[in-house]
Amino acid sequence: MRFGNGRFGFRTLSAALGLSLSLLAGGAHAEPKKEFNIAWTIYVGWMPWPYAADAGIVKKWADKYGITINVKQINDYVESINQYTAGGFDGVTATNMDGLTIPAAGGVDTTILIIGDFSNGNDGIVSRTANTPAELKGESINLVELSVSHYLLARALETAGLSEKDVTIVNTSDADMVAAFKSPETSTVVTWNPLLAEVKAEPGSAALFDSTQIPGEIIDTLMVNTEVLKDNPDFGKALAGIWYETMSVLTDPGEKGNAARAAMGAMSGTDLAGFEAQLAATKLFATPQEAVAFAESEDLVKTMDLVRTFSFDHGLLGDGAPDKDIVGIAFPGGQVLGSADNVKLRFDASYMKLAAEGSL
């Protein structure tokens, strides 16, 4: 279960803490080292990391490169990214939007090393009074403000020619979302699975928009500190090896795969059926070839332009950010969105390519 500790949460801390965190992180110079720390939080697309640790896959690949990789769970998602941003971890599981608005906006040069999946129905809007995004006009809508749920709503409203000015947003904790929807005062919520499944099951409710209608925009990744990666390329190679070996187990249709998926479900507070239901609403990049193609597509550039626009409009690039170009985002092939002199978020397909070529 992802109640309160999934990949969604408040980003308001990022703007307030960004400067101090960047100073803290920026003061430490990376250098060759032998031991690395990765932080993860509970979400269907990130459960392969703790499974890989338990199954010995992490140690296998770390040993190959003569290093140690520690995979540590953090109970609070935003806290995990803040700790990474402050230099407490070398890598962290996070969404594309949060990578931009927390470490990158905070001044920590961050590389997206693994593109694991994108939400393909795990996020949605459910209402008792509206059946289409156009019918949301004038509605009060409960969601976790400044989260990817907020982003999803903004994108849904755009499809109907509406904006956030046409609705009233009610900031609601993820832990309170299901209870809120049971209240007669609440007509519409935006949330994610497994909460989404619960509110959709309420009598008289209708799902009117979900992430399948904005495919590829809510992306789940493993990101690492760029300086650490630059000085320790074997760290990146080991991570890519771990990930794709684990993907081969996760997608195994036989008993081996069933056991792995059941184990990942148990680690996240559900069972095999529950975990597979969440996987069904997730576009998993099970092979490095798929992930490389996605990373090199022009669609990713368009997506990140949408994400950075939303982030700037909502103050998530920092209080003093003059425009959305303040943080540069680099893509495979050398294309840069925003300031080329201040690139702080990088999509790097090179390690996924090594996996695709069998060169790890």
Side-chain angles (χ1 to χ4, degrees):
M1 304 285 279
R2 292 189 290 140
F3 295 94
N5 57 5
R7 79 197 198 288
F8 305 83
F10 290 103
R11 278 78 173 171
T12 48
L13 282 176
S14 63
L17 297 178
L19 179 60
S20 59
L21 290 173
S22 67
L23 290 173
L24 179 60
H29 296 286
E31 58 186 14
K33 58 181 189 176
K34 291 294 186 181
E35 186 165 358
F36 304 87
N37 296 301
I38 297 293
W40 67 275
T41 46
I42 292 176
Y43 176 64
V44 58
W46 296 328
M47 299 317 296
W49 290 107
Y51 171 81
D54 282 1
I57 300 173
V58 170
K59 186 176 187 307
K60 171 189 168 182
W61 283 90
D63 286 351
K64 177 175 181 176
Y65 290 102
I67 60 177
T68 298
I69 298 176
N70 304 308
V71 178
K72 181 178 179 181
Q73 181 180 7
I74 303 296
N75 288 328
D76 181 89
Y77 171 63
V78 173
E79 177 61 18
S80 73
I81 305 175
N82 283 338
Q83 287 191 28
Y84 158 79
T85 304
F89 288 90
D90 302 298
V92 66
T93 54
T95 67
N96 53 327
M97 178 172 150
D98 293 318
L100 174 65
T101 60
I102 303 181
V108 177
D109 197 324
T110 293
T111 294
I112 293 178
L113 186 82
I114 301 289
I115 296 178
D117 69 85
F118 64 74
S119 176
N120 198 32
N122 270 323
D123 304 86
I125 305 173
V126 178
S127 180
R128 290 195 187 89
T129 53
N131 292 299
T132 67
E135 293 176 5
L136 290 174
K137 187 172 184 177
E139 288 281 326
S140 291
I141 301 172
N142 295 60
L143 52 73
V144 178
E145 197 170 13
L146 303 179
S147 70
V148 287
S149 290
H150 198 159
Y151 175 81
L152 181 76
L153 173 66
R155 296 285 286 125
L157 293 172
E158 285 176 14
T159 66
L162 301 177
S163 73
E164 290 180 49
K165 294 179 181 177
D166 294 307
V167 301
T168 300
I169 291 173
V170 181
N171 186 30
T172 305
S173 163
D174 52 349
D176 297 331
M177 196 65 70
V178 174
F181 195 61
K182 293 178 183 294
S183 165
E185 287 78 27
T186 302
S187 61
T188 303
V189 300
V190 189
T191 190
W192 56 87
N193 271 325
L195 306 173
L196 180 63
E198 290 193 55
V199 296
K200 283 168 67 175
E202 287 292 311
S205 66
L208 59 91
F209 191 92
D210 67 34
S211 54
T212 62
Q213 291 159 275
I214 55 166
E217 294 189 23
I218 300 175
I219 306 167
D220 301 303
T221 80
L222 175 74
M223 50 190 70
V224 300
N225 182 288
T226 300
E227 287 189 20
V228 171
L229 180 64
K230 181 180 177 182
D231 291 335
N232 303 276
D234 284 351
F235 174 48
K237 292 177 184 177
L239 290 174
I242 292 163
W243 181 255
Y244 290 110
E245 180 171 337
T246 309
M247 285 297 98
S248 71
V249 178
L250 171 64
T251 56
D252 184 302
E255 286 303 313
K256 186 177 181 180
N258 281 337
R261 292 188 292 275
M264 293 182 210
M267 289 175 182
S268 58
T270 185
D271 55 16
L272 175 60
F275 190 73
E276 291 187 332
Q278 293 180 41
L279 273 180
T282 305
K283 169 50 188 172
L284 194 68
F285 294 116
T287 68
Q289 290 85 355
E290 286 182 283
V292 169
F294 183 80
E296 294 182 338
S297 71
E298 189 64 25
D299 287 344
L300 180 59
V301 180
K302 295 176 183 175
T303 289
M304 291 310 298
D305 192 35
L306 291 168
V307 170
R308 72 181 186 136
T309 300
F310 174 87
S311 300
F312 173 72
D313 289 345
H314 292 79
L316 298 176
L317 298 184
D319 293 337
D323 54 46
K324 66 181 180 181
D325 288 331
I326 185 69
V327 179
I329 307 170
F331 300 89
Q335 187 172 354
V336 174
L337 269 181
S339 173
D341 296 326
N342 188 41
V343 172
K344 295 299 181 186
L345 187 66
R346 305 168 193 270
F347 286 86
D348 183 351
S350 62
Y351 292 89
M352 295 186 292
K353 277 186 175 178
L354 289 175
E357 296 165 356
S359 301
L360 293 172

